[in-house]
Amino acid sequence: MGWSQERLEQVAQTRLNGAKLIVVANREPYIHRYKNGQIEWIRPAGGLTTALDPVMRACGGTWVAHGSGDADKATADANSRLRVPPDDPSYTLRRVWLTPEQEEGYYYGFANSTLWPLCHQVYCKPTFDPSHWEVYKQVNQLFAQAVLEEAEGGPALIFVQDYHFALLPRMLKQVRPDLVIAQFWHIPWPSSEIFRVCPWASELLEGMLGNDLMSFHIQNHCNNFLETVDRTLECRINRENFSVERNSQVTRVRPHPISVDPNLAKEYLGDDWEARAQELRKQWNLENRPLIVGVDRVDYTKGIPERLNAVERFLENHPEWIGQFHFLQLGAPSRTNLPAYRDLTLEVQNIANRVNERFGTEDWKPIIFLNEHHGPEDIFLLYRMSAGCVVSSLHDGMNLVAKEFVTAREDEQGVLVLSEFTGAARELTEANLVNPFDIEQMASGLHACLTMPPEEQRRRMRKMRTQVNDNNIFRWAGKLLSEVGKMVEPSPEDDSDIVLEEEPEEEIKAMLEQHNSIYLFRSGRF
Ligand code: F6P
């Protein structure tokens, strides 16, 4: 049986067994802000909220997040709660208020200047500032307080998201050992050599081992995590079932590749997408030229300069394409308080200008760079009307743009150029896989977007669509809930048809073989 919203609803009911579901993520799914004296709401850019919102719509419960919009207070009640989605409420958003100093030290500081570069191998040196660390601890405590309030009075499953909250699981377990806690780490976990340079590595790991389940996108990140724990803390690692035991707390470590809701493409495209596409072509003077798109937050992990430089190389290699296509880059502004992000925006702008000056004409520009926020209606329209989409992350936990692009292509056309350093590349093997650091390969990928025969596009796209349809966001959440929900309370329906399709033992065996071979090799037992 395939995974759908309905099936996830069923799993949630059975597995949660009456327990509350509380998701904790720094980013809220809906931000309220003032515009021209009116309050409007937007969906923020970024994979986490895109992926989890359909899950919460299916399961209900509470999402605890930083209230970051300037109209957020005005739209929440006295307990900082409101029902969302604003146009069709089905779950509760509990906002946590941070002072500018807390946002600076915890979000811009420790989360995004220490853990973000530490976990991504992109050669941006992490900062290790003790004052950021102090605020990170303080804000984790603040969120712990909010979660404990939301979980009062009964069993609850707490689903913690990401690197903003490494300390939260342990803080919660200390006060409420009965809570079942799972954490999903949306970014890569690096090798132990890299992670262990962090002066607070032990405390971070100690915090994460407060979880009953610690999950990453791919097996490699699980292996790296276990390895890091093994080398940093005193604990028992059970290689039979891939878990860590420390101070009588057992944490299972498992890969769960995140995904998207394939039905959203239809919803966002609507019936009038062709008319809107025509308008857009007129508005940007695109005429009927083929379009290649990039859709990202402007972040140094995404490889945006690499892909724009590749546009230049492509034009050098294939001058016959001068004047014949456009590369359109949507770049949502992100973390702009940080110099590395501001510098990157300038760099991208400069490359776009340089390439446009070199190859552009009065009425044609090869690169269009739109450095602004766009909603999913516009983004899906671009996916649908383009010849290809380029995802050139230098390192990425998953990358959901790649999967979204595939869901938008009901016509089974379109070429996906995908960095081999994304989690998505493990699943979307029919994409045109590239090393983003290899400019010639990137230029060939762009060429493929414009020249791949329709039959070949169809063959590849069909396989990728099957992959994303089968392994959708409901399966991701369903499998996670199935795994962790069992710990909430033994449920009488445990043996119903809702159990996982694949025998987990098989997966564990495979992990084990891979992991044990790493160990045996290192200890020189071969
Ligand atoms: O994927 C990692 C992540 O931090 C997610 O939490 C989020 O979806 C995305 O990057 C966007 O980041 P931010 O919430 O900092 O804008």
Side-chain angles (χ1 to χ4, degrees), residues 349-360:
Q349 195 67 67
N350 288 339
I351 301 174
N353 292 344
R354 190 191 71 229
V355 178
N356 285 342
E357 269 164 34
R358 180 168 169 203
F359 289 101

Side-chain angles (χ1 to χ4, degrees), residues 154-449:
L157 166 59
I158 316 296
F159 190 17
V160 181
Q161 307 301 314
D162 240 341
Y163 57 99
H164 308 87
F165 300 117
L167 305 176
L168 180 63
R170 173 71 64 207
M171 289 171 174
L172 294 172
K173 264 284 192 260
Q174 269 163 357
V175 183
R176 285 275 308 266
D178 64 305
L179 293 176
V180 174
I181 310 177
Q183 182 162 25
F184 190 79
W185 198 260
H186 289 253
I187 61 175
W189 189 274
S191 74
S192 61
E193 284 79 4
I194 292 181
F195 195 80
R196 289 179 71 240
V197 304
C198 177
W200 305 286
S202 311
E203 289 92 327
L204 291 165
L205 294 170
E206 176 73 47
M208 293 167 81
L209 293 180
N211 284 298
D212 297 291
L213 173 70
M214 184 65 230
S215 184
F216 299 88
H217 291 291
I218 58 173
Q219 185 58 48
N220 194 30
H221 301 157
C222 295
N223 295 348
N224 285 346
F225 178 74
L226 271 192
E227 182 77 359
T228 313
V229 170
D230 196 22
R231 292 183 169 215
T232 315
L233 296 178
E234 257 192 44
C235 57
R236 266 218 342 247
I237 296 197
N238 183 340
R239 300 188 200 290
E240 290 297 308
N241 66 1
F242 241 70
S243 64
V244 183
E245 187 178 339
R246 179 164 163 84
N247 305 330
S248 317
Q249 156 89 50
V250 176
T251 305
R252 298 165 71 161
V253 181
R254 294 281 186 277
H256 286 284
I258 204 167
S259 193
V260 292
D261 174 0
N263 302 315
L264 285 181
K266 259 205 184 101
E267 190 181 318
Y268 291 138
L269 282 169
D271 296 330
D272 61 341
W273 75 265
E274 277 167 296
R276 286 192 288 131
Q278 275 318 316
E279 271 170 37
L280 214 73
R281 283 193 173 275
K282 261 198 216 137
Q283 187 186 328
W284 290 335
N285 193 25
L286 305 176
E287 300 190 348
N288 278 332
R289 297 180 193 105
L291 212 59
I292 307 176
V293 295
V295 176
D296 307 82
R297 290 180 300 104
V298 181
D299 190 297
Y300 53 79
T301 60
K302 303 293 181 187
I304 303 173
E306 284 72 7
R307 91 180 62 146
L308 299 193
N309 284 327
V311 172
E312 184 174 35
R313 179 55 56 89
F314 166 66
L315 287 168
E316 286 167 357
N317 293 352
H318 292 281
E320 71 276 16
W321 280 97
I322 292 174
Q324 303 301 315
F325 79 106
H326 294 278
F327 187 93
L328 198 150
Q329 176 67 49
L330 289 193
S334 180
R335 307 173 189 170
T336 43
N337 281 23
L338 297 177
Y341 285 76
R342 289 200 299 271
D343 294 351
L344 175 69
T345 307
L346 272 183
E347 186 188 351
V348 170
Q349 195 67 67
N350 288 339
I351 301 174
N353 292 344
R354 190 191 71 229
V355 178
N356 285 342
E357 269 164 34
R358 180 168 169 203
F359 289 101
T361 58
E362 200 141 294
D363 50 10
W364 177 74
K365 273 190 198 151
I367 296 175
I368 302 170
F369 172 46
L370 300 176
N371 185 206
E372 57 204 20
H373 179 84
H374 286 263
E377 289 80 4
D378 286 351
I379 292 175
F380 275 80
L381 183 60
L382 279 177
Y383 291 147
R384 185 66 178 78
M385 62 195 275
S386 66
C389 175
V390 180
V391 172
S392 54
S393 309
L394 307 181
H395 196 194
D396 215 330
M398 174 52 67
N399 195 288
L400 292 181
V401 167
K403 292 188 175 181
E404 281 179 359
F405 174 66
V406 167
T407 64
R409 301 314 296 249
E410 205 176 8
D411 60 342
E412 298 180 339
Q413 292 296 291
V415 175
L416 175 62
V417 177
L418 178 60
S419 159
E420 58 186 289
F421 307 128
T422 60
R426 317 252 166 158
E427 296 175 77
L428 301 177
T429 50
E430 293 302 316
N432 189 316
L433 295 177
V434 291
N435 173 350
F437 296 95
D438 182 338
I439 193 166
E440 292 300 341
Q441 222 179 56
M442 289 281 290
S444 300
L446 294 170
H447 190 239
C449 290

Side-chain angles (χ1 to χ4, degrees), residues 412-413 415 448 450-460:
E412 298 180 339
Q413 292 296 291
V415 175
L450 299 169
T451 57
M452 186 182 285
E455 258 325 296
E456 176 66 359
Q457 294 187 39
R458 178 159 297 115
R459 187 188 68 73
R460 289 171 179 249

